[in-house]
Amino acid sequence: MTIHSIGSKAAVRSAETRVAAYDWQALAGEMSGYGCAVMEKLLTPQECREVAGLYPDESHFRSHVHMARHGFGKGEYRYFRYPLPELIGGLRTALYPRLAAVANDWNERMGIAQRYPDEHAAFLKQCHAQGQTRPTPLLLQYGPGDFNCLHQDLYGDLAFPLQVAILLSEPGKDFTGGEFVLTEQRPRMQSRAEVVPLRQGDAVAFAVHNRPVQGSKGSYRVNLRHGVSRLRSGMRHTVGIIFHDAK
């Protein structure tokens, strides 16, 4: 599946096929147990290069953010405009139902009334009804010394509890350093850090904000943030797939 060569319906079908090949029961267990799970080789090396190659072409994007100007870290990223590149849009549509099942389970365990519809299009209608109409998938670029501060991608009142990041560059060849980091703040306890090793084409699905943890008296919420450690050399590209739109 290339970025632009096939129709959107075909892109979704192709994405659904590759997404269905993973063991989602095991992935759901990883997400519920640790706040994240890795899908190995979601993209091929050629697809990674093609997506990263979009970065210089402003026609694909609605905005360009330099992290240092906002205190977000160092580096930069660009938000895609609608319509999304078919590869990204297809994966966004195909991944959502699998993650919605996890999100609904989490909300039930945390006593949150919100439930997410089975199809991504229905969820986007809910976002748009609340004035959240701007697409949030983004392409990030890091150079030597760049990093991404710990943060949460919420963008509005309606936020989907999970998102996906796909590493487009090859560690050890294209760059060194730049590890994906997830931190978990637990009530009355010290924070826990999770460093997620990724290879080119690997995707990590992770909690945006909260997740439930089973305690002796039932489930309680923990608060999560994610970021990227300092890049020591080279260039690192990542695509982020966020399922809610922004105000």
Side-chain angles (χ1 to χ4, degrees), residues 6 8 14 17 25 41 55 61 73 127 141 185 195-196 217:
I6 54 181
S8 59
S14 177
T17 297
Q25 184 175 356
K41 299 180 180 179
Y55 196 85
F61 305 99
C127 290
Q141 178 174 277
Q185 185 179 7
V195 178
V196 183
K217 298 181 181 180

Side-chain angles (χ1 to χ4, degrees), residues 1-4 6-20 24 42-43 47 51 80 82-99 119-121 124 137 164 166 239 241-243:
M1 181 168 62
T2 59
I3 294 178
H4 297 293
I6 54 181
S8 59
K9 289 183 179 179
V12 171
R13 287 196 297 269
S14 177
E16 286 174 344
T17 297
R18 75 170 81 186
V19 166
W24 280 95
L42 181 63
L43 297 186
E47 289 169 336
V51 175
F80 286 103
Y82 280 134
L84 300 176
E86 289 174 346
L87 177 61
I88 305 305
L91 287 171
R92 196 186 193 206
T93 300
L95 286 164
Y96 170 86
R98 307 282 181 168
L99 298 175
E119 301 297 328
H120 190 235
L124 286 181
V164 172
I166 310 170
V239 65
I241 300 179
I242 298 165
F243 296 92

Side-chain angles (χ1 to χ4, degrees), residues 134-212:
R134 296 188 297 165
T136 47
L138 68 164
L139 188 55
L140 302 101
Q141 178 174 277
Y142 301 87
D146 290 350
F147 62 95
N148 197 346
C149 295
L150 295 170
H151 66 284
Q152 298 169 330
D153 296 310
L154 296 175
Y155 299 115
D157 294 333
L158 184 57
F160 191 70
L162 290 140
Q163 68 189 71
V164 172
I166 310 170
L167 182 61
L168 304 177
S169 306
E170 186 176 347
K173 180 180 178 182
D174 296 327
F175 71 96
T176 61
E179 294 88 356
F180 179 87
V181 180
L182 193 69
T183 64
E184 185 174 273
Q185 185 179 7
R186 301 172 292 173
R188 297 176 299 280
M189 301 173 69
Q190 292 183 326
S191 296
R192 182 183 71 88
E194 184 92 6
V195 178
V196 183
L198 297 171
R199 297 173 296 180
Q200 185 181 38
D202 288 352
V204 56
F206 58 96
V208 173
H209 184 204
N210 298 124
R211 76 173 182 92

